[in-house]
Each structure stands twice: as structure tokens, then as C-alpha cells.
Amino acid sequence: MKINTDKLFDEVVLSKDYLQSNWEQWKQEETTRDVIISSEEKWLRLFGHLKENHIAAPNLIKIVKFAFCLPGTSAPVERVFSLMNNAWTDDRGLMKESTVKGLKTCKINIGLASEDFYIKIKNKKDFLKNVLANENYMQILFKFLFLIQSVSFYLSNL
């Protein structure tokens, strides 16, 4: 990312003036409306002001865009590892990586338990027709259905 530090300094000074002159108004607005103005909203207001006044701030915009694309926490990654550990137990250790990947993709993107997903799709003819037309999805679906049957059989024999 190329940043012109001299121009960035000017952009920050102009931004600081705007932010300082509006800070008290925002605090009052938050108190009156009983809401918190997010940092994103404050940046949007600043850049809106700069645009209305035909003030270019390309360096500051680059930095803010970069800062907002960084995740605030590692929680999403931690969740994936947790789901993987739950799926790949000693009892299921013989599953191929592709099977586990398919199961986790369904779990993360659909948000349903495997049995609930099966119930939801089993009578959707158009969906199943499209899945069967695609080899990759067909393989995942058959593995999924096999897994459901295996789990059902395992649970019934407990």
C-alpha cells in the first residue's frame, strides 16, 4: 500500500479539525437518542464531509479501509477449529478430509443439524435434481446421506 506521508499529514489535520468540532455533537446525539454512533458511522460522516467540501483524502481512506478489513477477533477461526474437533472424533477418525470438509461446510453455511438438513432437502425435487447434475455435489450428498444412515444406525444400537 503506497501512502504519501506528507499528504497523509494534511489529511489527518483536516480530519482532526472536523472530528473535534463534531465530537460533542455526536456525544449529545448519542445521549438524546440513547444509541451509540459506531466508529464506522463516524468515519462515514467524516468522509462524507470531506467529499461535500471537495477535499481529497486518498491516503487516509486507504488506511481506514485497511483497518476495517482486519478482523477484530480470531473467533471465526476458533469456531471452525472447534467444529472440526467435534466432527473428527476417535469414532469418526476414519473419515476422509473431503467428507469432513463437506460436513463442516454444510454445518457452517446452513446452520442446521445434519438430520434437520436431511429432512429439509429430502422432498425438494428441484434442489436434488440440480445436485445430481453436478458430480461434486452428488458425491458430497451421497457421503452425507451415508453418514446420516450410519449415525442413525449407530444411535439405534446404543
Side-chain angles (χ1 to χ4, degrees):
M1 173 179 0
K2 282 197 162 205
I3 301 290
N4 182 326
T5 54
D6 293 332
K7 288 186 179 185
L8 175 62
F9 179 80
D10 296 337
E11 294 168 15
V12 169
V13 169
L14 290 170
S15 300
K16 182 180 175 189
D17 292 342
Y18 172 80
L19 292 172
Q20 285 178 334
S21 65
N22 286 283
W23 201 258
E24 289 303 318
Q25 176 189 347
W26 292 341
K27 283 175 128 179
Q28 185 178 6
E29 187 179 333
E30 288 177 332
T31 306
T32 306
R33 292 185 6 207
D34 196 29
V35 294
I36 296 175
I37 301 171
S38 69
S39 57
E40 294 93 346
E41 177 65 25
K42 290 174 183 171
W43 281 109
L44 286 172
R45 290 180 183 188
L46 167 66
F47 292 131
H49 167 77
L50 294 175
K51 186 175 182 177
E52 285 173 12
N53 293 293
H54 307 288
I55 301 170
N59 298 293
L60 185 59
I61 289 172
K62 285 179 191 175
I63 291 173
V64 171
K65 279 183 179 179
F66 181 76
F68 275 106
C69 77
L70 298 173
T73 68
S74 61
V77 175
E78 300 276 342
R79 182 170 185 266
V80 169
F81 280 114
S82 175
L83 289 169
M84 290 299 293
N85 287 334
N86 291 342
W88 223 332
T89 62
D90 291 338
D91 294 339
R92 299 181 195 164
L94 298 177
M95 284 193 294
K96 292 182 180 178
E97 288 179 38
S98 60
T99 304
V100 175
K101 180 182 177 185
L103 290 171
K104 292 302 108 191
T105 300
C106 288
K107 176 75 174 169
I108 291 168
N109 293 318
I110 297 170
L112 297 173
S114 299
E115 296 84 5
D116 296 333
F117 179 68
Y118 172 73
I119 291 166
K120 184 174 182 173
I121 67 163
K122 72 179 181 179
N123 294 321
K124 295 193 176 199
K125 304 294 183 208
D126 290 340
F127 173 77
L128 293 173
K129 184 178 175 184
N130 289 335
V131 167
L132 293 174
N134 184 317
E135 273 188 53
N136 290 334
Y137 289 123
M138 191 168 72
Q139 289 174 358
I140 291 171
L141 181 63
F142 284 132
K143 288 177 184 178
F144 175 75
L145 293 174
F146 176 76
L147 180 67
I148 293 293
Q149 288 176 334
S150 301
V151 169
S152 298
F153 178 77
Y154 176 76
L155 292 174
S156 66
N157 290 322
L158 286 178

